Amino acid sequence: MEDAGLEEIRKQRMAEMQAQQGSGQNKQMEQQARAQEMKNNMLSAILDQKARARLNTVAQVKPERAQKVEMMLIQMFQRGQVMGKIGEEELRKMLEEVSKNDTKTTKVNFDRRRVQLDSDSD
């Protein structure tokens, strides 16, 4: 009898823990959705329609670069540096500026080693 009672308590406790974990994940997802919605609203207020379309296109190809530009725009807006809506040309300049800063230089070093078994050395 005690084993059945303990098993029932364990099942109830597991169900409670799973419900708490599920509600925590739901809250986190709701917060992320709200933050995304706020970001989209701010970007809509900052960018005109063509610039917004260009930023969405860039986000599909290079999401890191688009996120950097979005954060720059939001920070500029919060500081009051944005007067009116930003057009497509201004956005292009910002994208070029970010891409210049992000360029990675690749350097290839060739390590040529001399081989001891050279047929010409005879």
Side-chain angles (χ1 to χ4, degrees), residues 42 46 71-86:
M42 290 178 84
I46 298 170
M71 293 309 296
M72 282 176 52
L73 288 168
I74 290 171
Q75 288 174 354
M76 288 172 60
F77 182 72
Q78 289 173 343
R79 292 181 192 145
Q81 295 175 341
V82 177
M83 302 298 171
K85 289 199 177 232
I86 293 178

Side-chain angles (χ1 to χ4, degrees), residues 105-118:
T105 56
T106 304
K107 186 175 180 181
V108 179
N109 289 328
F110 289 102
D111 187 21
R112 297 183 183 183
R113 297 184 178 147
R114 307 278 183 222
V115 178
Q116 295 293 331
L117 302 174
D118 215 3

Side-chain angles (χ1 to χ4, degrees), residues 51-82:
R52 185 77 172 127
R54 180 174 289 274
L55 187 60
N56 286 337
T57 304
V58 170
Q60 290 176 351
V61 179
K62 301 209 183 254
E64 304 88 25
R65 188 172 294 168
Q67 286 177 349
K68 286 181 182 180
V69 171
E70 287 174 352
M71 293 309 296
M72 282 176 52
L73 288 168
I74 290 171
Q75 288 174 354
M76 288 172 60
F77 182 72
Q78 289 173 343
R79 292 181 192 145
Q81 295 175 341
V82 177

Side-chain angles (χ1 to χ4, degrees), residues 9-35:
I9 292 171
R10 285 184 186 146
K11 286 181 184 179
Q12 289 176 353
R13 183 68 181 138
M14 285 295 289
E16 288 174 6
M17 288 174 59
Q18 288 175 351
Q20 287 176 352
Q21 186 179 17
S23 66
Q25 289 175 349
N26 288 339
K27 287 180 184 177
Q28 186 179 15
M29 288 173 49
E30 288 175 13
Q31 287 176 348
Q32 287 176 349
R34 271 193 237 119

